[in-house]
């Protein structure tokens, strides 16, 4: 256990660096294996402690995707609100599309930048359109963005408690296959991809293992990416780390992953630039936000398109 504690403290994800050490370790320790889409109980033999990790390789955006203009002010979403497994869910895209994308948002929940991203994923690729769904896993009580950065004891306490309760991966993981099954039946979806931001990137990692319901995965400015998760990933995977993610962790993850994968660094962007923390009033952020979504769409087009072998 002492070696786990040393590893965790040495490579704590960027958004956990200011959380009390004990709270961060508890959160890391909730990252558990779940063969057959089942979550292993924390005390079961299958449960395994993970430390934070992440990955590195490059790709160019293909011409098939022309991202619409990104809005930096108030954004009016194009989709609608539905229910999925009892959760309020943002749904967008052509209702005729047979391919779905499930979005796992960051700890701040529904933000204009994330809703705009969902619409970009739904409508940009004219050759491969999607129905896109973003469930409210935190059920109306996401982390308050005023807690970040956690630069005093009160913020530390609130953020630490949030990660130990609402954001504990075992709470979210069992709902994902249920949501996919329900939406597949009600919306006519035949195949799926998954994308997650920050905390959502960890959920994506754990949802991409054996017997996953997804055909491709994406993690943007991911948190808690563990080297130990990588060998179990069974689907093509793209990762977009920001300049805040630990490079050693990313490299260790990619060395261990066995599936086709791409890692594109955004070294001048902050953790969260493609979701709630993206300041789209800044031209550079706006451009890199757009490029990030293009890369994801190119990857999904390759691995989910009609020519894909999956």
């Amino acid at each position: 256990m002492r070696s786990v504690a040393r590893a965790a403290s040495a490579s704590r994800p960027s958004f956990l660096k200011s959380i009390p050490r004990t709270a961060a370790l508890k959160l890391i320790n909730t990252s558990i294996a779940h063969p057959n889409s089942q979550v292993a109980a924390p005390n079961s033999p299958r449960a395994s402690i993970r430390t934070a990790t992440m990955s590195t390789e490059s790709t160019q955006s293909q011409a098939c995707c022309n991202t619409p203009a990104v809005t930096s002010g108030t954004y009016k979403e194009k989709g609608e609100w539905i229910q999925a497994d009892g959760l309020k869910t943002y749904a967008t895209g052509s209702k005729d599309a047979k391919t779905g994308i499930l979005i796992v948002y960051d700890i701040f929940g529904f933000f204009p930048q994330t809703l705009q991203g969902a619409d970009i994923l739904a409508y940009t690729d004219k050759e491969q359109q999607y129905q896109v769904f973003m469930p409210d896993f935190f059920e109306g009580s996401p982390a308050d963005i005023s807690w970040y950065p956690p630069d005093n004891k009160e913020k530390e306490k609130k953020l630490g408690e949030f990660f130990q309760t609402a954001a504990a991966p075992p709470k979210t993981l069992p709902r994902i296959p249920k949501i996919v099954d329900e939406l597949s039946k009600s919306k006519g979806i035949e195949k799926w991809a998954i994308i997650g931001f920050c905390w959502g990137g960890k959920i994506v990692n754990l949802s991409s293992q054996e017997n996953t319901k997804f055909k491709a995965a994406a993690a943007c400015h991911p948190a808690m990416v563990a080297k130990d998760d990588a060998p179990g990933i069974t689907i093509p995977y793209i990762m977009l780390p920001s300049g805040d993610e630990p490079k050693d962790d990313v490299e260790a993850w990619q060395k261990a992953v066995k599936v086709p994968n791409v890692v594109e660094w955004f070294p001048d962007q902050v953790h969260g630039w493609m979701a709630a923390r993206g300041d789209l009033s800044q031209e550079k952020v706006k451009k890199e936000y757009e490029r990030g979504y293009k890369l994801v769409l190119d990857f999904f087009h390759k691995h989910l398109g009609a020519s894909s072998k999956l």
Side-chain angles (χ1 to χ4, degrees), residues 256-271:
V257 75
K258 298 175 181 178
V259 295
N261 66 92
V262 168
V263 175
E264 179 80 13
W265 283 91
F266 287 72
D268 58 356
Q269 295 303 301
V270 300
H271 178 83

Side-chain angles (χ1 to χ4, degrees), residues 3-279:
S3 62
V4 171
R6 283 197 299 271
S9 61
S11 57
R12 287 167 70 182
S14 53
F15 78 105
L16 286 179
K17 286 177 180 176
S18 299
I19 296 175
R21 183 171 174 277
T22 53
L25 286 172
K26 285 182 181 178
L27 175 59
I28 291 168
N29 291 351
T30 62
S31 303
I32 58 179
H34 55 111
N36 303 317
S37 299
Q38 298 297 313
V39 180
N43 295 322
S44 77
R46 293 184 306 167
S48 61
I49 296 174
R50 317 236 181 206
T51 54
T53 329
M54 296 181 200
S55 215
T56 94
E57 185 187 311
S58 265
T59 187
Q60 288 289 84
S61 181
Q62 299 172 2
C64 72
C65 297
N66 298 301
T67 307
V70 173
T71 302
S72 59
T74 301
Y75 180 72
K76 175 60 180 173
E77 62 269 17
K78 299 177 181 179
E80 61 183 358
W81 298 94
I82 65 170
Q83 292 285 311
D85 191 35
L87 298 177
K88 178 181 179 182
T89 298
Y90 181 63
T92 184
S94 169
K95 289 182 170 59
D96 295 326
K98 299 299 183 183
T99 305
I101 298 175
L102 185 72
I103 296 178
V104 186
Y105 54 29
D106 63 17
I107 61 170
F108 305 115
F110 295 123
F111 253 67
Q113 300 94 314
T114 318
L115 292 169
Q116 185 171 184
D119 288 338
I120 290 171
L121 292 171
Y123 291 107
T124 299
D125 187 345
K126 303 305 180 186
E127 297 177 8
Q128 175 68 47
Q129 293 198 332
Y130 303 95
Q131 293 192 59
V132 179
F133 304 93
M134 189 188 324
D136 185 11
F137 291 109
F138 299 143
E139 301 185 67
S141 300
D144 191 323
I145 202 163
S146 68
W147 300 347
Y148 198 95
D151 49 13
N152 60 50
K153 289 184 178 181
E154 183 182 2
K155 290 182 182 180
E156 285 182 0
K157 183 175 183 290
K158 288 179 177 178
L159 205 52
E161 288 174 350
F162 183 80
F163 282 119
Q164 292 174 45
T165 54
K171 184 175 184 201
T172 298
L173 288 168
R175 303 200 78 157
I176 288 178
K178 295 178 184 177
I179 289 168
V180 168
D181 286 346
E182 179 181 323
L183 292 172
S184 294
K185 291 177 183 177
S186 64
K187 303 296 182 181
I189 307 296
E190 297 174 354
K191 54 186 173 181
W192 286 87
I194 185 171
I195 179 172
F197 305 95
C198 179
W199 164 84
K202 182 64 177 182
I203 301 301
V204 167
N205 238 310
L206 295 174
S207 296
S208 301
Q209 310 282 318
E210 186 179 3
N211 296 324
T212 179
K213 292 183 176 290
F214 303 101
K215 300 297 185 184
C220 306
H221 40 83
M224 300 175 290
V225 180
K227 179 183 70 173
D228 290 347
D229 290 340
I233 294 172
T234 59
I235 55 176
Y237 202 106
I238 182 170
M239 183 183 291
L240 307 181
S242 74
D244 291 332
E245 274 72 73
K247 188 171 183 179
D248 289 348
D249 289 351
V250 174
E251 290 174 343
W253 180 90
Q254 193 174 27
K255 285 178 182 177
V257 75
K258 298 175 181 178
V259 295
N261 66 92
V262 168
V263 175
E264 179 80 13
W265 283 91
F266 287 72
D268 58 356
Q269 295 303 301
V270 300
H271 178 83
W273 95 95
M274 285 180 66
R277 297 190 67 227
D279 182 359

